[in-house]
Amino acid sequence: MSTAVKALFASAALTVATIVSAEPLTLERAIELAQQNDYRTLEKKHLAAAAEGLVQEAEGADGWLLDLTTALALTTKVEGGFFDENCNNNCDNDNVRDDLYDVDGITPFVALRATLIKPLMTFGKIENYKAAAEQLHKVKLEDIIIQQNQTGMDVVKAYYGNLAALGGIALLEEAADRLTAAEEIAEDLLDSDDADISEGDLYTLKAGKGLIQKFLAQAQGLQKTAHAGLALLTGQDANTMTMASKRLRPLSLPSEDLETLQTMALENRPEMRQLEAGLKARRSLVKARQAESKPNVFAGIAGTFAYAPGREQIDNPHVQDPFNHYAASPLVGLQWKWQGSRTAGQIAQAEAELRALEAKGHFARGGIPFQVAEAWYKVESGYEAQRALSTASRDARRAMLSAYLDFEAGTGEPAKALEALRTYTLTYADYLLTVNNYNNDVINLRRLTGQPLITQ
């Protein structure tokens, strides 16, 4: 491929990447990107992979085991047989050679020992350790889902916080514009002799404008922080990232009743699946600990081999030659490591851990419905609160517009116009904050009941 073609492909890829990154970000897409880029989730995935390795290790414990030791060394050369070379026919114990430490030369020495065995019966050790490892793997897989949900909630906070800050900025900019216009009107009225306005009224408007500018600067700082946080979570460029939503709107009130939501939580929460898997794992560990007091039965083949070319081989069946020999045999064996009270203590620990998890499970089965009820009541009250504030902010805006129209016509008081603006600003700001909290609470309720964070 030519350099020009490679450059063309690279340019096309960069263009596509720019288009993708410039695509307005929906909340659903933001959560998806954050879950893909979150290193906390990646950590959970690696821990799940490690747990899967434990399952493979437990499965392998039931397979063939090769224990092999081989070595290459040096030893002394030996010529001749068992007796002294001066012995001819009438050899006895007095003629046994005693030149073990005489060095007549050096020869290489190869030795090998090997045992190939397979467990036949472990009385439940392998089976129960494997079952415990499988359940631990399930627990770790649920950790991934829990972390993804937590990451999703972080995105929700940043996304809605960004929209709330943008709404607040728009509100404060409108208020600043109105105060600027009111200030100009007040200055014109002061120049006319028949106007019922004082310099104090003008300074009151200026002071209100200063406060609005302060709040505007704070809102802009919060918006930039939320925007940067959202970009960080989703792996986007903060300078090019845009949001599909332009205005903060309240989510719909969940249609399910409280009892249904509580049932959904007990059935769908990853924590409940973790609890079930954890209990199974603990029960299997108790059985495995109990089986530790029993032996293991195995079968296989054992063999040994040694060869030293510089040494004469002894073929006497009553004498084993460690330097020149070979042997192999099938075998059936029994392995038993009985540790008495130590094994009993390990069983007691496993049983205590099981009872502790059972107690935690009883608490969870009672605590999770209460947790859902608490979240539901919060959502319910938030829904009513944002509806009330929505109406109140509309009324406050009408009052503010009326007061400013009167002021602009010269029939209204600056203080009343300023107070109306203040009431509207505070009411609408409270509305934005309440909607932000309400939307977070709705999605958190979905998390607590095991539902997807974003529903179609």
Side-chain angles (χ1 to χ4, degrees), residues 340-407:
S341 59
R342 181 180 180 184
T343 300
Q346 292 174 338
I347 294 173
Q349 291 177 39
E351 289 177 339
E353 289 171 349
L354 172 61
R355 300 293 174 259
L357 189 57
E358 288 175 341
K360 186 175 182 179
H362 287 304
F363 178 78
R365 291 186 183 92
I368 284 180
F370 172 77
Q371 189 181 42
V372 173
E374 182 182 28
W376 165 248
Y377 296 140
K378 194 173 182 181
V379 166
E380 195 175 38
S381 62
Y383 176 76
E384 297 298 334
Q386 62 86 18
R387 288 187 65 188
L389 283 171
S390 177
T391 302
S393 62
R394 285 196 298 269
D395 293 339
R397 180 176 178 81
R398 294 188 185 103
M400 181 266 296
L401 293 174
S402 176
Y404 266 81
L405 287 174
D406 291 343
F407 174 69

Side-chain angles (χ1 to χ4, degrees), residues 27-78:
L27 178 56
E28 183 179 13
R29 179 59 177 160
I31 291 175
E32 180 183 351
L33 288 173
Q35 291 174 344
Q36 292 173 357
N37 292 283
D38 186 28
Y39 284 100
R40 296 169 297 178
T41 301
L42 183 60
E43 177 192 6
K44 303 299 182 184
K45 289 181 178 179
H46 287 314
L47 292 175
E52 186 178 12
L54 285 178
V55 176
Q56 296 175 353
E57 180 181 353
E59 290 175 343
D62 194 30
W64 288 93
L65 173 65
L66 175 63
D67 184 4
L68 185 148
T69 302
T70 182
L72 174 63
L74 298 176
T75 188
T76 56
K77 288 184 176 181
V78 175

Side-chain angles (χ1 to χ4, degrees), residues 4 15 200 267 287 392 402 422:
T15 302
E267 293 177 351
K287 294 178 181 178
S402 176
R422 176 179 176 275

Side-chain angles (χ1 to χ4, degrees), residues 224-242:
K224 290 177 181 178
T225 301
H227 187 85
L230 184 62
L232 175 65
L233 288 168
T234 56
Q236 303 294 294
D237 183 354
N239 296 319
T240 59
M241 184 187 72
T242 58

Side-chain angles (χ1 to χ4, degrees), residues 293-352:
S293 61
K294 300 176 182 178
N296 297 328
V297 179
F298 61 89
I301 299 174
T304 179
F305 167 82
Y307 175 63
R311 297 176 66 95
E312 298 256 352
Q313 182 173 343
I314 299 177
D315 293 327
N316 190 314
H318 296 286
V319 179
Q320 182 183 10
D321 184 353
F323 298 98
N324 289 283
H325 71 271
Y326 59 90
S329 172
L331 56 87
V332 175
L334 180 70
Q335 183 187 44
W336 197 358
K337 293 182 179 180
W338 184 76
Q339 295 180 293
S341 59
R342 181 180 180 184
T343 300
Q346 292 174 338
I347 294 173
Q349 291 177 39
E351 289 177 339

